[in-house]
């Protein structure tokens, strides 16, 4: 907190929760403004309320939600671990702005679930810590191609200058942003 505490990010693209454990960011990709929400590893009911409040304060923005773990790799269902069922029921299922969730600590790379509006919520796992070299520096790249109604997912290591090209690490997600979120404004405002 001494060098990069909450005061460092005041009045910027960064927003935080009352506990300083959760945060959100606004970013532009293509012609759109997006909302990215990060939730603490051990989060509780107040955090769920905070998520709903942040989304309500940014209506209509396509939203990505990040959390340590959301579903069990064994069942492919959202997990009761870390109060995940409450997240799905209270913040995700009924909120059509959330189109993607990113997590770690499961073996399933990609799944999708259907929200209450009948739209897909993409659930992506990115966790390479058990790979050689402590993960080899692999990270997920997402290339938003709105004109082609897709998001390209690629897994790359700048350390190794190498891509993982198997089906679990290189794939495309189909998403028609205009149909789900409407036309982007002429000039995004952040």
């Amino acid at each position: 907190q001494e060098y990069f505490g909450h005061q460092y990010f005041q009045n910027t693209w960064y927003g935080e929760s009352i506990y300083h454990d959760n945060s959100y960011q606004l970013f532009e990709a293509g012609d759109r403004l997006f909302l990215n929400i990060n939730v603490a590893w051990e989060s509780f009911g107040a955090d769920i309320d905070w998520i709903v409040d942040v989304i309500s304060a940014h209506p209509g923005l396509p939203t990505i939600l990040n959390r340590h773990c959301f579903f069990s790799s064994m069942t492919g269902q959202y997990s009761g671990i870390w109060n995940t069922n409450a997240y799905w029921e209270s913040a995700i299922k009924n909120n059509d702005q959330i189109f993607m969730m990113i997590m770690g600590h499961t073996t399933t790379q990609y799944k999708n679930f259907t929200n209450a509006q009948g739209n897909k919520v993409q659930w992506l796992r990115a966790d390479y810590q058990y790979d050689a070299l402590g993960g080899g520096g692999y990270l997920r790249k997402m290339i938003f191609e709105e004109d082609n109604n897709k998001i390209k997912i690629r897994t790359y290591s700048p350390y190794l200058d190498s891509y993982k090209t198997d089906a679990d690490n290189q794939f495309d997600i189909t998403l028609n942003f205009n149909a789900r979120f409407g036309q982007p404004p002429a000039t995004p405002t952040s």
Side-chain angles (χ1 to χ4, degrees):
Q1 292 247 356
E2 180 181 346
Y3 297 102
F4 295 106
H6 67 280
Q7 71 281 355
Y8 180 80
F9 297 102
Q10 288 177 335
N11 302 317
T12 68
W13 47 267
Y14 173 87
E16 66 175 313
S17 73
I18 56 174
Y19 305 114
H20 311 299
D21 293 333
N22 304 326
S23 65
Y24 70 89
Q25 298 79 38
L26 301 174
F27 70 93
E28 292 180 22
D31 294 329
R32 289 188 191 277
L33 187 62
F34 288 81
L35 175 61
N36 183 64
I37 300 175
N38 302 293
V39 184
W41 174 59
E42 289 186 337
S43 45
F44 304 98
D47 299 302
I48 294 171
D49 295 339
W50 175 79
I51 291 169
V52 173
D53 290 345
V54 169
I55 292 171
S56 296
H58 299 89
L61 294 185
T63 301
I64 299 170
L65 183 58
N66 301 281
R67 189 166 187 237
H68 184 73
C69 183
F70 276 106
F71 68 81
S72 166
S73 61
M74 294 172 51
T75 66
Q77 299 296 313
Y78 45 86
S79 170
I81 302 169
W82 301 304
N83 207 21
T84 301
N85 189 49
Y87 274 82
W88 176 255
E89 294 297 326
S90 300
I92 303 164
K93 181 175 78 171
N94 294 311
N95 196 319
D96 203 31
Q97 279 182 238
I98 300 174
F99 72 95
M100 181 182 290
M101 304 183 62
I102 301 172
M103 74 198 112
H105 292 297
T106 63
T107 56
T108 304
Q109 293 285 348
Y110 167 76
K111 287 192 83 63
N112 63 61
F113 293 90
T114 303
N115 66 18
Q117 294 78 21
N119 288 314
K120 298 293 183 195
V121 178
Q122 313 297 331
W123 297 50
L124 304 178
R125 184 206 54 116
D127 184 359
Y128 307 103
Q129 67 183 334
Y130 298 112
D131 290 1
L133 301 172
Y138 281 98
L139 52 88
R140 274 282 160 82
K141 290 174 54 174
M142 294 180 208
I143 302 150
F144 290 74
E145 291 187 352
E146 290 182 56
D147 292 342
N148 295 323
N149 297 322
K150 75 170 68 168
I151 303 170
K152 290 183 173 184
I153 307 299
R154 302 297 182 261
T155 304
Y156 175 71
S157 168
Y159 177 72
L160 300 172
D161 191 24
S162 172
Y163 283 90
K164 287 183 177 250
T165 57
D166 59 282
D168 284 339
N169 288 292
Q170 180 173 303
F171 54 92
D172 297 343
I173 296 171
T174 301
L175 177 62
N176 186 327
F177 280 94
N178 290 339
R180 183 150 173 191
F181 301 108
Q183 293 288 330
T187 303
T189 57
S190 43

